[in-house]
Amino acid sequence: MSADGRGGTEPVGIDELLERVRAGFVRVGPREAVAAAADGALLVDIRYAELRERDGLIPGALVVERNELEWRLDPRGSHRVPQAVSHDLRIVVVCDEGYASSLAVASLRQLGLHRATDLIGGFQAWRAAGLPVEA
């Protein structure tokens, strides 16, 4: 099976994989992420602790490290967070620069979280846009 789960055995490079998974959803910019959160979307910060300590946090974002993401956001899962109540939940995944988050969204969509997307440019784009950051 190929890396995108479509069958076949041809290897795929990471750039091609990113292009393929991103073709399946509309990504959002920092200001769109703010608007989505204001409309009830869940911002999910998947950066590891060292980056959060170094750069800060997005106020109101749920912190779920990447290795726990599917377990915490699956509405059917026994280890889900209280916010994971529906497959219709709008989720905006945030990583450091907007790469790992795209792959995470592909995984969430495989769980049926069809409104999951990610932040173009990640936390660094959020900060560069002058949006709030907590120490």
Side-chain angles (χ1 to χ4, degrees), residues 69-70 73 91 93 104-114 116:
L69 187 67
E70 293 82 357
L73 295 183
I91 299 167
V93 181
V105 167
S107 182
L108 292 176
R109 284 177 167 251
Q110 286 182 326
L111 289 175
L113 293 159
H114 63 99

Side-chain angles (χ1 to χ4, degrees), residues 8-52:
T9 57
E10 278 297 309
V12 60
I14 190 61
D15 294 326
E16 183 180 347
L17 179 60
L18 274 171
E19 185 177 314
R20 286 181 188 180
V21 299
R22 287 175 174 168
F25 58 91
V26 177
R27 303 174 76 212
V28 298
R31 303 240 179 253
E32 293 167 301
V34 169
D39 286 340
L42 184 62
L43 296 181
V44 181
D45 186 342
I46 64 169
R47 294 174 301 141
Y48 55 90
E50 183 179 318
L51 290 177
R52 295 190 313 269

Side-chain angles (χ1 to χ4, degrees), residues 84-103:
V85 296
S86 166
H87 284 92
D88 198 41
L89 179 64
R90 178 89 194 266
I91 299 167
V92 179
V93 181
V94 180
C95 68
D96 194 47
E97 294 183 343
Y99 297 100
S101 57
S102 294
L103 298 176

